[in-house]
Amino acid sequence: MLTALQDAGLPVARPLGADLNAAQTDVPALLVSRLPGRLTYPRMPTAVFISALAQAAAMVHRQRVPEAVWPWNDRAANLQRSVDAGQGPDWARLRDAGIPQEPLTFVHGDLWPGNLLFRDDRLTGIVDWGHAGVGHPALEVSYLAADLRVATGSQDVHAAVIDAYEELRGPLMNRNWWELAGYLRFPADPADWLAGWTEAGLSLSAADVRVRHGAGLAYARKQLC
């Protein structure tokens, strides 16, 4: 995976060695090169940072699906199962409207600032490719925007992320549908993911996460109605 993505020009770590059967280590292990830059998660992102996030997503979605030795994650099928089985009025809204028909692309599968490295607002690395596969690029960028909405508390930041992505890749088909789907990708209690934001250096409480996610979800729900 890493070799294929590196050959395609993505800023990913270079594999140096592997012990997949745990013959020399206690667990299966992969040794990779150290990427430049650091985790950067500003409390209020600049326009330059938001543009870099959108460029990272667009860069991933432009890639051909690399050939791999294991079956690819079918992220589109995962979404279909979630929509079919989802409980509550918001999932029912998505079911009634139907998943927008858009071309599937290569997706990272967990694209948020915690998996991106920056140096002076310049993207230097994309990490954690364990969930990569083929799926809906609009869901990936909508989830990225929802994450920023929760992290910052700003609806303007949420909109700016998707706007910047659309400038690079064109308008999302039925953007309002995807924005709601992005929020529904969170766990039933969004505070279950609090550790990810606090480890990234953000001062958030469980109450902050719940309130901000709820506000974003309510806004997306209203836009889709």
Side-chain angles (χ1 to χ4, degrees), residues 5-22:
L5 295 176
Q6 188 176 57
D7 291 345
L10 281 176
V12 299
R14 179 167 51 89
L16 301 175
D19 182 15
L20 302 183
N21 297 318

Side-chain angles (χ1 to χ4, degrees), residues 5-84:
L5 295 176
Q6 188 176 57
D7 291 345
L10 281 176
V12 299
R14 179 167 51 89
L16 301 175
D19 182 15
L20 302 183
N21 297 318
Q24 298 174 298
T25 53
D26 293 335
V27 295
L30 178 67
L31 179 67
V32 300
S33 62
R34 182 179 184 275
L35 290 168
R38 62 185 180 85
L39 169 62
T40 304
Y41 210 141
R43 288 178 173 81
M44 190 52 61
T46 64
V48 174
F49 183 81
I50 289 173
S51 177
L53 292 180
Q55 289 171 1
M59 188 185 307
V60 171
H61 300 158
R62 281 196 294 263
Q63 299 304 313
R64 286 185 4 179
V65 178
E67 295 181 4
V69 295
W70 66 87
W72 277 97
N73 289 329
D74 190 341
R75 311 297 297 183
N78 291 348
L79 174 62
Q80 185 67 64
R81 284 192 292 268
S82 296
V83 171
D84 291 342

